[in-house]
Amino acid sequence: MTQKFLDGWNSAKFAIAALFAVIVMYDAAGVRQAAGKQARILNQIIDELFEEGKEFNEERLKELLGHTPFQVLMGLILGIGVSLVAGMIVI
């Protein structure tokens, strides 16, 4: 959003910044949450395999890896708000 203030909506810099933001938000919400679901299932499999008293020496996988869609949306709104304030201060 700040790039919009500096170079305008039609600039290549704004397009690159917007594309990068979309990729980061997709990663935060989608890919990392899918990895968290996989970790939950793997932990469950490990628990079932080793419940008979056998020892498992490795740490459990982290299950909370990604952000919820609500958290991503709030991050987007916060980022836009910060860039608007920064744009008013700089300009």
Side-chain angles (χ1 to χ4, degrees), residues 1-3 5 76-89:
M1 198 71 183
T2 303
Q3 196 61 48
F5 290 118
L76 172 65
I77 292 169
L78 179 65
I80 290 172
V82 168
S83 68
L84 289 173
V85 171
M88 288 178 191
I89 292 171

Side-chain angles (χ1 to χ4, degrees), residues 32-86:
R32 291 178 185 237
Q33 269 204 328
K37 289 178 185 177
Q38 290 177 355
R40 189 176 318 115
I41 291 170
L42 287 171
N43 284 335
Q44 182 181 358
I45 291 170
I46 289 170
D47 289 342
E48 290 173 5
L49 286 174
F50 290 97
E51 68 184 8
E52 299 170 0
K54 299 176 187 173
E55 289 196 25
F56 184 69
N57 295 329
E58 299 295 324
E59 291 183 33
R60 293 179 59 83
L61 297 172
K62 293 182 182 179
E63 296 179 12
L64 298 174
L65 295 175
H67 297 289
T68 63
F70 178 74
Q71 290 171 330
V72 173
L73 179 64
M74 290 299 109
L76 172 65
I77 292 169
L78 179 65
I80 290 172
V82 168
S83 68
L84 289 173
V85 171

Side-chain angles (χ1 to χ4, degrees), residues 26-36:
Y26 174 78
D27 177 63
V31 176
R32 291 178 185 237
Q33 269 204 328

